[in-house]
Amino acid sequence: MVEKRTFLSAILPHVVLILGVIVVFFPVYVAFVASTWDAATIANGQMGLRPGPHMLENYHRTLFVGTASSTREPVGNMMLNSLIMALMIAVGKIIISIFSAFAIVYYRFPFRMAAFWIIFVTLMLPVEVRIYPTYKIVSDLNMLDTYWGLTVPLIASATGTLLFRQFFMTIPDELLEASKIDAAGPFRFFKDTVLPLSMTTIAALFVIQFIYGWNQYLWPLLITTKDSMQTIVIGIKKMIVTQDALTEWQLAMTTAVLALLPPVIVVVAMQKLFVKGLVETEK
Amino acid sequence: MEKRTVFAGYSLPALLLVPQLLITIVFFYMPAGQAMWQSFQIEDAFGTTTIFVGFENYRELFKKPEYYKAMGTTLVFSTAVAFLSLSISLLLATMANKQIRGATAYKTLLIWPYAVAPAIAGVLWLFMFQPSMGMVSKALKSAGVDWNPTLNGNHAMLLVIMAATWKQISYNFLFFLAGLQSIPHSLIEASAIDGARPMRRFWTIIFPLLSPTTFFLIVVNITYVFFDTFGIIDAMTGGGPAKATETLVYKVFADGRLGGDLGGSAAQSVILMIMVIAMTAFQFKYIERKVSY
Amino acid sequence: MAEVTLSNIRKVYPGGVEAVKAINFAIPDGGFCVLVGPSGCGKSTLLRMLAGLETITEGECRIGGRVVNDVEPADRDIAMVFQNYALYPHMSVYNNMAYGLRNRKTPEDEIARRVAAAAKILAIEPLLERKPKALSGGQRQRVAMGRAIVRQPQVFLFDEPLSNLDAKLRVHMRVEIKKLHNTLKVTSVYVTHDQVEAMTLADMIVVMSAGKVEQIGTPADVYSRPESVFVATFIGSPAMNLVKGVVSAPGMVQLADTMVACSTGSVATGTAVLVGIRPDEVVLGAAGTHRTAVNFVEELGPSRLYHSTFGGEDFVIQAPPKSADPKAESLAFDIPHHAVHLFDAASGRRIG
């Protein structure tokens, strides 16, 4: 240790970090507290910082019954939609990008570089900047209000391909050579060597893409018109009637807690993979 | 960088690439091309006829004060969020990097907001600052501040900045911490032997060595504020009040959907695309991100 | 088991670099051939062409009489040991060895039998269930060899298999490989840049330089009758002394400041030559015809190196410790006729 340990230097980091943790937790804690009170208490501004007695009632009603004023759809159903969307995006992305990266790394064929660049440039085309034309194409393909419409346009992106390409480049050439001598063709090499070695990368990408998929906002907002297709992130927005006292805040906050719980659990439970995925997809 | 040994054949790799290329072309290139094409056209009120007008949409756009206003809003918003979230997370990362008890626990406790959807983050903050019964608003009112983000544009701006910053801290924290941990300890020791006090050491040794991370994060944060905060703005303010929180991206959405000005919206899309491409290129050029092709 | 024949083998890379230039030689059935040369001489490329990992630009490669130019590596009936071992990191030792057999649809009981036999030979039986990560360098090396052995191939290919090991282990494994070859008698091709490995392992050395074969022969041949200056300096440590000179009369070479008597054979008088003398073939003795000042001495233990100047060039004399005073300031010595190698100064080839 370079630094002398004074009382201040020992205590300061903890003070700063605890303050940081409080700031980070506070909004979520408030939402949790709100999810345990009744509408009247919240509307009168009497909520305070202690949890109330209505937790079970609120969660039950939110999950299985639905709010009265804005959407009749129970949030349980929305969560299912979100789950399906997140899984389809994560799994779909992994599959198509591991295949394309395998083709780009382990083959030489005409237009290989062209294919790589076609994929690469998509890094620069976030959905927000091409939103209406993409919507139009999806609608022309009759994919509005379908899981396919919700997910397929988000499945292709350079991130996964770049990540797998980067990882494949670190697999020693000799492993392919040994496999060739061991009579393994492309399928066997992929199945027996590349896939088992890629498991951590796959898991890391899965964590990141699951969060990405679960948290989608603009795209499902446009693509879903039916209540039954709504995702939870969209659902909550529709519960909040900005100018109005009609908002059932206790249910909105219950929904908020339910909406943030799954991805947060994924991050905390798979922290190592999450950090790996985050750092490597950005590199 | 290339593989020394590869497999022979064209059909299998082609087959493996088809899904991604197909999706990319249908959902990325066609829409982008279409946005470009639309930006040179005007559609009549009923959407029945379109005329090619060249750069007319762009000229119109740059004549409108709203567009400049949205630019200003975006600038204020992104600068504020980038500055705040970077400073706060650098402070937290510096503290967490000291060899203290529970450093990993702090890390876990600080990184999870990354997983919260922007729209949800917006709703959480909206609730606390809801003018009539929000917990913080009440405190502000009793302190004499007439807090009302639904009417006061500055308040609304402040609110989206807070929510966006809150959500981004975890990401920056993680990268700063990684950056700090990669600084060799011997350098810190050398500077201590050279007589640098902790504060001086931070600014003369650690901060300069961290600059690639900082620089990378600045670009990432600006991109984040440009695009990912759409959900925050839409959930919290809907761009209001009086377009006080309407950023460039939000304006593309609002003009195309509510205004029905597809040509104008497309022109804005194209400008945004150019901006993203510029930022990405910038990022690649200066941040030693090596894609060795 | 099989004979390996290379006829006019060339390798030209797409960029136009000619890595291997028209190589011809044959390895007899059961032979142990070592390709040796400095890095970039084309020896690894040649081996990889034999393995089928590089295409052969021109020429014909035969294994056991069959032309294998267009045969897949898997179908050449060869096995290879890689420099970094190339063990599948996610498979146990057993599965690493079994993989190639499984891919060839060998019955599981046969696989088990062969793996057990190979593990016994290599003394890695207790390691079969471990992953490569849990093995030491030497153990990994053995597994890599085990993977080759279980295949019972016609030819073993070794690509610098010992260069990732520390010095002591390297010597040990070298002996193991030699023993293994004596037991299995499978035709082997071994690439190395280490001349000691080449000398100790081979019954046939191919010295390569810049894509060409410099000399082919037994270790003894290559050492005692190097065909070129390159071979003379590459094989043998410390390297052969080379001194510029001119044949002044039959049996006599004029150096810068002295003369050396040797057999000049049919070399014409007036030919510019390089005189090669191995440091250990110099004979010290008070009555020696030559005398030189000693610049400095390196003590090796079993012998001593005297760095001096002879014929105007740096000159090393290797002698047993007892043959001279370690602090000697000058030495007298003789150069026996048979110790003198003459090379043409222009072409570098052996003459006389």
Side-chain angles (χ1 to χ4, degrees):
Chain A
M1 272 312 289
V2 180
E3 280 161 59
K4 250 192 295 179
R5 284 266 164 162
T6 60
F7 179 70
L8 186 71
S9 79
I11 206 80
L12 184 69
H14 290 283
V15 171
V16 172
L17 286 168
I18 288 169
L19 275 176
V21 171
I22 289 173
V23 168
V24 156
F25 268 86
F26 191 69
V28 175
Y29 181 72
V30 171
F32 168 72
V33 171
S35 75
T36 61
W37 287 100
D38 54 317
T41 315
I42 297 171
N44 297 336
Q46 292 161 336
M47 190 180 86
L49 279 175
R50 267 209 304 253
H54 297 277
M55 180 168 167
L56 280 181
E57 176 195 330
N58 286 343
Y59 280 86
H60 179 264
R61 186 164 159 221
T62 308
L63 274 171
F64 306 111
V65 183
T67 56
S69 58
S70 47
T71 162
R72 256 151 232 81
E73 205 59 31
V75 168
N77 189 27
M78 296 182 193
M79 289 180 84
L80 187 67
N81 286 337
S82 286
L83 184 70
I84 293 172
M85 175 170 74
L87 287 178
M88 278 175 79
I89 289 177
V91 173
K93 220 173 217 184
I94 287 167
I95 292 175
I96 68 165
S97 56
I98 201 169
F99 283 163
S100 57
F102 186 78
I104 285 172
V105 172
Y106 284 109
Y107 284 90
R108 298 272 177 284
F109 49 91
F111 309 114
R112 188 173 70 103
M113 281 300 106
F116 177 79
W117 280 105
I118 286 175
I119 294 169
F120 182 75
V121 169
T122 57
L123 271 187
M124 307 178 194
L125 294 171
V127 71
E128 286 83 359
V129 306
R130 52 189 167 81
I131 189 77
Y132 290 112
T134 315
Y135 171 82
K136 176 132 196 322
I137 285 170
V138 172
S139 117
D140 288 348
L141 292 170
N142 280 325
M143 296 198 330
L144 294 182
D145 279 320
T146 64
Y147 289 121
W148 295 114
L150 212 47
T151 55
V152 173
L154 301 176
I155 276 176
S157 87
T159 328
T161 309
L162 285 176
L163 185 65
F164 281 121
R165 179 189 159 272
Q166 203 174 352
F167 174 71
F168 292 169
M169 294 313 291
T170 67
I171 298 179
D173 287 352
E174 286 83 356
L175 280 190
L176 169 58
E177 294 171 358
S179 298
K180 281 189 160 194
I181 291 172
D182 276 342
F187 284 107
R188 277 221 182 100
F189 177 62
F190 181 78
K191 177 174 76 71
D192 293 340
T193 303
V194 172
L195 209 53
L197 291 179
S198 307
M199 277 341 270
T200 345
T201 306
I202 290 175
L205 190 62
F206 179 85
V207 170
I208 298 295
Q209 295 305 331
F210 180 85
I211 297 167
Y212 167 83
W214 182 276
N215 289 347
Q216 278 305 308
Y217 183 76
L218 178 54
W219 188 243
L221 191 65
L222 287 178
I223 293 302
T224 59
T225 55
K226 281 195 235 151
D227 280 353
S228 64
M229 282 301 294
Q230 255 166 36
T231 64
I232 187 165
V233 179
I234 302 305
I236 192 171
K237 148 85 177 163
K238 298 201 171 159
M239 289 179 198
I240 293 162
V241 193
T242 322
Q243 308 289 352
D244 219 330
L246 286 174
T247 305
E248 293 177 278
W249 280 105
Q250 84 284 16
L251 300 188
M253 288 299 112
T254 308
T255 310
V257 171
L258 289 170
L260 63 81
L261 224 43
V264 167
I265 289 172
V266 167
V267 164
V268 174
M270 299 190 236
Q271 195 178 331
K272 273 224 175 80
L273 288 172
F274 162 70
V275 172
K276 179 180 158 68
L278 200 59
V279 171
E280 290 187 359
T281 47
E282 290 294 350
K283 220 166 34 191
Chain B
M1 227 174 25
E2 299 272 295
K3 285 283 177 194
R4 186 169 65 192
T5 316
V6 293
F7 288 111
Y10 297 153
S11 42
L12 188 62
L15 210 65
L16 291 174
L17 272 167
V18 159
Q20 176 141 27
L21 285 182
L22 200 69
I23 294 173
T24 303
I25 287 165
V26 171
F27 296 110
F28 281 73
Y29 285 91
M30 277 168 54
Q34 204 145 40
M36 210 164 284
W37 179 234
Q38 269 174 5
S39 73
F40 295 119
Q41 291 181 326
I42 287 180
E43 202 171 62
D44 70 17
F46 308 102
T48 45
T49 50
T50 47
I51 352 163
F52 183 83
V53 292
F55 284 96
E56 190 54 34
N57 284 323
Y58 293 90
R59 269 194 290 274
E60 277 298 311
L61 195 61
F62 284 110
K63 270 191 237 159
K64 284 183 189 158
E66 297 105 88
Y67 195 62
Y68 293 99
K69 190 177 175 217
M71 267 189 200
T73 306
T74 310
L75 191 71
V76 171
F77 185 39
S78 47
T79 317
V81 172
F83 178 76
L84 282 174
S85 67
L86 285 171
S87 331
I88 296 171
S89 39
L90 179 56
L91 175 70
L92 292 173
T94 311
M95 293 302 157
N97 190 43
K98 294 192 192 300
Q99 285 139 1
I100 54 167
R101 258 164 201 273
T104 39
Y106 283 123
K107 186 173 159 192
T108 309
L109 292 174
L110 286 168
I111 61 171
W112 58 269
Y114 175 86
V116 178
I120 303 294
V123 170
L124 296 179
W125 284 79
L126 188 64
F127 179 62
M128 288 194 296
F129 285 88
Q130 216 277 345
S132 59
M133 62 10 159
M135 190 169 287
V136 186
S137 328
K138 277 198 322 184
L140 286 171
K141 282 217 172 99
S142 60
V145 181
D146 184 20
W147 173 264
N148 195 341
T150 53
L151 297 175
N152 185 320
N154 290 336
H155 291 176
M157 183 54 125
L158 221 57
L159 194 52
V160 287
I161 288 173
M162 283 191 286
T165 304
W166 177 81
K167 163 131 178 61
Q168 192 62 3
I169 286 174
S170 53
Y171 183 93
N172 296 343
F173 170 78
L174 212 72
F175 276 85
F176 271 137
L177 190 60
L180 286 169
Q181 282 167 348
S182 70
I183 295 177
H185 205 67
S186 57
L187 280 178
I188 313 288
E189 288 169 342
S191 74
I193 290 166
D194 284 340
R197 306 266 118 223
M199 271 312 262
R200 194 170 157 69
R201 209 147 67 212
F202 180 82
W203 290 113
T204 56
I205 308 289
I206 299 175
F207 193 69
L209 287 173
L210 211 53
S211 60
T213 309
T214 314
F215 204 63
F216 159 78
L217 283 176
I218 288 174
V219 179
V220 170
N221 277 275
I222 289 173
T223 321
Y224 158 78
V225 178
F226 261 66
F227 300 105
D228 293 351
T229 53
F230 178 89
I232 296 183
I233 294 173
D234 194 47
M236 292 181 98
T237 65
K243 302 198 173 184
T245 53
E246 188 174 75
T247 59
L248 289 171
V249 171
Y250 201 82
K251 196 168 160 56
V252 172
F253 169 76
D255 286 5
R257 173 145 151 160
L258 311 171
D261 176 13
L262 276 182
S265 167
Q268 294 179 40
S269 293
V270 172
I271 293 172
L272 273 177
M273 272 187 237
I274 293 169
M275 286 164 99
V276 187
I277 290 170
M279 273 194 276
T280 315
F282 187 71
Q283 198 171 350
F284 273 100
K285 186 143 189 231
Y286 291 101
I287 309 179
E288 298 176 311
R289 264 175 66 162
K290 287 191 185 100
V291 170
S292 41
Y293 269 92
Chain C
M1 286 195 259
E3 188 191 55
V4 172
T5 318
L6 302 175
S7 330
N8 280 312
I9 298 282
R10 285 180 73 222
K11 176 71 190 184
V12 183
Y13 281 108
V17 179
E18 195 176 6
V20 172
K21 299 168 185 166
I23 288 213
N24 283 293
F25 64 86
I27 306 162
D29 183 16
F32 199 113
C33 167
V34 174
L35 306 179
V36 67
S39 62
C41 71
K43 57 188 190 301
S44 280
T45 310
L46 192 59
L47 187 81
R48 294 164 54 76
M49 285 196 280
L50 250 172
L53 298 171
E54 298 268 0
T55 54
I56 296 169
T57 313
E58 218 175 89
E60 204 175 73
C61 173
R62 286 167 185 272
I63 296 175
R66 175 172 68 132
V67 178
V68 293
N69 284 36
D70 298 317
V71 178
E72 286 293 314
D75 304 326
R76 290 190 180 198
D77 207 359
I78 47 130
M80 186 155 171
V81 179
F82 293 87
Q83 178 173 359
N84 63 4
Y85 318 134
L87 300 177
Y88 307 112
H90 55 294
M91 295 184 195
S92 67
V93 167
Y94 183 94
N95 286 334
N96 260 286
M97 287 161 74
Y99 187 61
L101 297 174
R102 286 206 182 112
N103 289 343
R104 290 181 172 81
K105 311 250 183 298
T106 313
E108 278 299 324
D109 54 337
E110 168 73 5
I111 293 176
R113 209 180 48 71
R114 287 205 211 173
V115 171
K120 186 152 190 277
I121 296 176
L122 295 162
I124 51 172
E125 287 150 308
L127 309 177
L128 287 176
E129 293 313 312
R130 291 209 199 154
K131 294 269 174 73
K133 205 167 51 190
L135 302 179
S136 69
Q139 290 170 334
R140 285 178 205 183
Q141 222 286 325
R142 284 164 193 272
V143 176
M145 296 215 297
R147 183 166 69 180
I149 293 171
V150 294
R151 290 266 321 284
Q152 303 178 352
Q154 289 198 338
V155 181
F156 280 137
L157 305 176
F158 297 90
D159 188 6
E160 309 221 14
L162 303 183
S163 54
N164 282 7
L165 299 178
D166 64 51
K168 205 174 159 194
L169 206 49
R170 192 150 58 213
V171 174
H172 179 69
M173 288 310 293
R174 198 171 76 202
V175 175
E176 297 279 302
I177 291 177
K178 187 75 184 173
K179 278 191 200 155
L180 199 65
H181 181 250
N182 288 342
T183 318
L184 302 174
K185 301 220 177 344
V186 176
T187 314
S188 302
V189 186
Y190 187 107
V191 162
T192 182
H193 61 266
D194 181 323
Q195 46 119 352
V196 180
E197 264 172 45
M199 294 293 284
T200 49
L201 284 170
D203 33 61
M204 167 183 175
I205 287 188
V206 176
V207 185
M208 291 182 68
S209 154
K212 284 188 307 216
V213 170
E214 288 281 335
Q215 184 169 2
I216 301 176
T218 64
D221 279 348
V222 170
Y223 184 78
S224 58
R225 267 190 74 83
E227 286 299 329
S228 65
V229 170
F230 177 82
V231 178
T233 49
F234 190 77
I235 302 286
S237 172
M240 184 184 276
N241 294 301
L242 286 171
V243 185
K244 285 196 210 83
V246 175
V247 176
S248 54
M252 194 57 75
V253 177
Q254 172 73 51
L255 307 182
D257 52 5
T258 181
M259 312 262 274
V260 172
C262 62
S263 128
T264 52
S266 58
V267 183
T269 305
T271 311
V273 294
L274 284 170
V275 177
I277 300 153
R278 292 218 180 265
D280 59 331
E281 291 190 312
V282 174
V283 180
L284 293 183
T289 31
H290 305 287
R291 176 160 281 279
T292 178
V294 175
N295 299 331
F296 64 96
V297 179
E298 282 182 293
E299 184 66 58
L300 298 182
S303 68
R304 198 177 287 142
L305 301 182
Y306 296 92
H307 290 262
S308 63
T309 313
F310 182 64
E313 313 263 352
D314 288 339
F315 195 80
V316 178
I317 298 166
Q318 185 172 27
K322 283 182 188 133
S323 59
D325 175 8
K327 297 207 169 62
E329 294 192 341
S330 72
L331 290 173
F333 59 91
D334 280 309
I335 299 166
H337 281 210
H338 72 264
V340 177
H341 306 260
L342 287 187
F343 301 98
D344 184 86
S347 70
R349 302 303 301 178
R350 183 182 193 89
I351 49 176

